[in-house]
Amino acid sequence: MELKRVVVTGLGALTPVGNNVPALWEGLTNGVSGAGPITHFDATKFKCRIAAELKGFDALNYFDKKEMRLFDGYTVYGLVSVDEALSDAGFTDQNINDDRFGVVWGSGMGGVTSLQNEIIDYAANNRNPRFSPYWVPKVITDICAGQIAIRHGLRGPNYCTVAACASSAAAISDAFNLIRLGKADAMVAGGSECAVTEVGIGGFGNMRALSTRNDDPQTASRPFDRDRDGFVLGEGAGALILEELEHALARGAKIYAEITGAGLSADAYHITASHPDGLGVINAMRQAIEESGMQITDVDHINTHGTSTPIGDISEPKAIVGLFGDHAYKMAINSTKSMTGHLLGAAGAVEAIATILSIKHGLVPPTINHFNDDPQIPALDFTFNKARRHKVHFALSNAFGFGGHNVCLAFRKF
């Protein structure tokens, strides 16, 4: 069986540095930090009081109050980003081949905000079981994929992927393979997260995963810097339209890039810490390159997972050197989480979008907030503090998750 070729024809994003793709790209290339004091709730008593929240976003500009009763924030974010991606790809609900168009959507925590609020309301009402009849379909992690399909009449393959912070990258991998195998002509793929809430900040904070640089939030996310102290929790969504090449060409679609490979692996090491030598990461990157029919010396750029955590920011560069050898020092490497914060399950999709736009524009966004080199980290070209023109023909986007999940996506200039 001959595998189909798959291209990216539409992009959509809702992020702390921009509420659509053009605004995201402008923010990234200008080194804008999306971090600030938490406004979603009173964080006074929390160790971490900062996050990368959306700016100027009002869901009522997209949905009426009746609709909003059905949606957790992560579904709202997903639907908005998908609307942009479908429009960008030139699809309307009238020109979609419903039975051959599907959705794979990722989220690490699903409707955690609604779950938290229902439990708080339950406790506050003397444990009277007055749960909302909508709360189960708001909370379950697969519901965003279902709501996307309902909104646009997409009757192709439909499910969610849950792989912690690698969830949306896994969704893109699955969508890619469904099209390659001929099970769909086009797929919506991506992920969303809405976890800047008491349980999100409290849970990650007590794990000591979050930065507590509360007095200087805009520089708190410091991937690969010596003084990094944890990630900045973010929120939002990223959506990609993947399409079989001949299908895209037949309708005259614009093509951003070709997705050529996806590597998946496990560290099999620890529930939260990455393998110190990055063995699983090496495996995932090698798979993605080999599946693309490329060589390691063909890679021009890697958008790293780069979360600003003490351990993870050491193991990933070590893995890059372990696989690429001398070529590791010739690639432009960055972490856009320095600006967006960590969008958990949505991170992989947003960073895939950034990688694709680097290919399209020949411009690599910076890793901002670098002040001091870390002697434990190999001196790679991390594109510190300022975007740089760099011809990108073939690039990787890495995403990893608690539990040891690793996904590497490979994109090539079309």
Side-chain angles (χ1 to χ4, degrees):
M1 175 182 172
E2 184 177 354
L3 296 173
K4 309 287 188 180
R5 292 174 66 185
V6 184
V7 293
V8 181
T9 58
L11 303 173
L14 183 60
T15 78
V17 296
N19 292 347
N20 52 51
V21 170
L24 167 66
W25 186 241
E26 181 179 3
L28 292 180
T29 54
N30 286 300
V32 175
S33 171
I38 291 171
T39 65
H40 290 346
F41 63 93
D42 181 2
T44 304
K45 296 181 180 180
F46 288 75
K47 297 174 184 176
C48 172
R49 299 186 293 279
I50 59 175
E53 299 176 335
L54 300 182
K55 315 291 190 300
F57 176 76
D58 185 350
L60 293 177
N61 291 332
Y62 301 89
F63 309 101
D64 61 36
K65 291 183 178 179
K66 185 177 180 180
E67 287 178 300
M68 286 297 295
R69 292 188 301 169
L70 300 172
F71 303 147
D72 182 85
Y74 100 101
T75 298
V76 169
Y77 298 167
L79 291 171
V80 170
S81 70
V82 170
D83 283 357
E84 181 188 6
L86 285 170
S87 176
D88 183 46
F91 282 113
T92 67
D93 293 349
Q94 287 71 46
N95 69 0
I96 288 173
N97 181 351
D98 309 45
D99 294 331
R100 300 279 300 169
F101 207 134
V103 182
V104 186
W105 199 254
S107 183
M109 301 185 74
V112 66
T113 305
S114 297
L115 177 60
Q116 170 196 279
N117 292 342
E118 285 291 335
I119 292 172
I120 290 172
D121 289 346
Y122 174 60
N125 286 294
N126 298 316
R127 299 189 177 277
N128 287 324
R130 298 174 60 184
F131 291 96
S132 165
Y134 301 113
W135 92 267
V136 170
K138 287 171 70 173
V139 166
I140 52 178
T141 310
D142 70 304
I143 200 63
C144 190
Q147 290 284 16
I148 292 166
I150 292 166
R151 184 173 176 83
H152 298 287
L154 308 178
R155 295 195 296 269
N158 186 285
Y159 58 95
C160 72
T161 52
V162 180
C165 303
S167 294
S168 57
I172 295 167
S173 172
D174 280 13
F176 164 62
N177 283 317
L178 287 166
I179 296 172
R180 286 209 304 166
L181 293 170
K183 295 182 181 296
D185 295 328
M187 295 289 297
V188 174
S192 53
E193 208 77 82
C194 181
V196 181
T197 184
E198 290 90 335
V199 296
I201 293 292
F204 284 113
N206 284 347
M207 292 174 61
R208 299 182 180 178
L210 300 180
S211 172
T212 56
R213 194 168 275 110
N214 299 310
D215 58 341
D216 191 12
Q218 291 203 329
T219 72
S221 182
R222 302 183 179 192
F224 312 116
D225 186 81
R226 182 193 65 194
D227 301 318
R228 64 194 181 279
D229 70 331
F231 68 79
V232 175
L233 185 60
E235 61 178 356
L240 289 74
I241 306 302
L242 305 187
E243 199 168 346
E244 192 272 322
L245 174 60
E246 296 304 321
H247 186 272
L249 293 174
R251 67 181 190 87
K254 71 174 181 294
I255 294 173
Y256 282 100
E258 181 175 4
I259 177 169
T260 55
L264 298 95
S265 70
D267 282 345
Y269 173 73
H270 189 272
I271 56 172
T272 57
S274 55
H275 191 284
D277 295 318
L279 298 185
V281 176
I282 290 173
N283 188 12
M285 292 190 296
R286 180 187 291 116
Q287 286 180 43
I289 295 167
E290 289 178 351
E291 189 168 63
S292 300
M294 307 290 277
Q295 304 297 317
I296 59 172
T297 51
D298 294 322
V299 179
D300 305 300
H301 166 50
I302 301 177
N303 189 311
T304 65
H305 187 60
T307 58
S308 185
T309 53
I311 296 175
D313 283 12
I314 296 174
S315 61
E316 187 175 9
K318 286 178 67 176
I320 291 171
V321 173
L323 177 61
F324 290 91
D326 290 342
H327 186 67
Y329 299 89
K330 301 176 183 178
M331 300 180 289
I333 294 169
N334 70 347
S335 170
T336 46
K337 287 187 181 74
S338 60
M339 294 168 281
T340 64
H342 191 353
L343 275 65
L344 304 180
V350 171
E351 289 153 23
I353 290 169
T355 305
I356 290 164
L357 292 176
S358 287
I359 292 173
K360 176 178 171 61
H361 297 291
L363 182 64
V364 176
T367 304
I368 66 168
N369 300 329
H370 182 74
F371 304 99
N372 297 291
D373 292 341
D374 185 340
Q376 298 182 82
I377 295 176
L380 304 179
D381 179 1
F382 289 108
T383 323
F384 283 135
N385 295 324
K386 187 176 181 180
R388 189 170 70 249
R389 288 286 169 190
H390 183 77
K391 186 176 181 181
V392 183
H393 179 262
F394 182 55
L396 305 179
S397 183
N398 286 341
F400 317 138
F402 284 175
H405 314 298
N406 304 303
V407 180
C408 177
L409 302 173
F411 299 96
R412 184 168 57 202
K413 193 175 186 67
F414 182 74

